[in-house]
Amino acid sequence: MDSGLWVGVLTALTALGASYITARATSRAALTQARTAALAQALREQRDRRRATYREMMRCAHDFSEVTWQIDDVDAAGDREGEDRLLTRMYERIGPAIGGLNRATHEVRLDGPADVSVAAEHVRQMARRLQPRLKALIGAGSPERREEYDSAFREFRDAYLAFITRAREALEVRDEDPAL
């Protein structure tokens, strides 16, 4: 065989090998890019879902707070009968507000992360703790019962503020997150 033919065959094989290696590298790069894009999309969707869930939790906590803030109207009523009427109305509204918090807390449990779920559960528990303190105010104008109610409300508020902090931290985009 002629050496020119061998050079031609060797050149052709080298070209085919280089083409094969280039095609594999291009394929791997495209696959890596597709995986990175899919991960980034999944993280965006998770973040959006969490944001919506956390907003719902915050809306329900606000609805609960709107009921509890009516204690100012009770203070302004001036007579025991008027106070009891307002307290009874508040008590009737607090149950459905806690129901909203229950539902929102379950949604936060699904979307997580765990520390935000724990904070949401604490908000729910503090709201439930406030409910009997409100009922105890009806018909009893004692300063001790009012202090128990006020203390329970402060604990609810502190739990709510802690939830907001945890939720905000969970939604933050970190620099080490290359997908976002």
Side-chain angles (χ1 to χ4, degrees):
M1 238 179 161
D2 185 339
S3 66
L5 182 61
W6 280 110
V7 170
V9 168
L10 190 56
T11 302
L13 288 174
T14 303
L16 284 172
S19 175
Y20 172 76
I21 290 170
T22 302
R24 278 191 57 137
T26 301
S27 175
R28 283 185 183 159
L31 184 59
T32 299
Q33 186 177 7
R35 284 183 183 150
T36 301
L39 176 61
Q41 180 63 28
L43 290 172
R44 269 191 298 278
E45 288 171 5
Q46 178 188 57
R47 185 170 186 262
D48 291 346
R49 189 175 55 253
R50 283 180 175 173
R51 179 185 301 270
T53 300
Y54 300 165
R55 279 188 177 150
E56 178 62 12
M57 179 70 182
M58 292 171 67
R59 186 193 65 73
C60 289
H62 181 77
D63 290 349
F64 179 83
S65 293
E66 282 185 340
V67 173
T68 61
W69 292 333
Q70 292 175 347
I71 198 74
D72 292 337
D73 297 338
V74 172
D75 292 342
D79 65 289
R80 186 75 246 163
E81 193 175 301
E83 289 174 3
D84 285 346
R85 188 173 44 257
L86 290 170
L87 288 167
T88 300
R89 195 174 317 142
M90 284 174 65
Y91 187 75
E92 290 168 352
R93 291 184 58 216
I94 206 165
I98 290 174
L101 277 171
N102 289 338
R103 285 185 303 280
T105 299
H106 296 313
E107 291 298 317
V108 172
R109 281 186 193 136
L110 287 175
D111 286 331
D115 63 331
V116 180
S117 297
V118 168
E121 177 61 24
H122 190 59
V123 170
R124 186 179 81 85
Q125 290 300 325
M126 292 302 99
R128 290 177 50 133
R129 186 170 179 265
L130 189 58
Q131 186 178 21
R133 307 278 180 312
L134 175 61
K135 186 175 185 180
L137 289 175
I138 300 171
S142 78
E144 295 83 21
R145 295 221 189 260
R146 177 56 189 268
E147 178 49 40
E148 290 173 2
Y149 174 86
D150 290 343
S151 176
F153 177 77
R154 285 189 297 273
E155 290 173 356
F156 165 78
R157 184 194 60 220
D158 291 346
Y160 177 57
L161 293 174
F163 167 78
I164 292 171
T165 299
R166 299 291 173 273
R168 185 180 305 126
E169 289 169 354
L171 294 174
E172 284 178 356
V173 176
R174 292 168 184 82
D175 290 336
E176 68 271 6
D177 232 349
L180 297 176

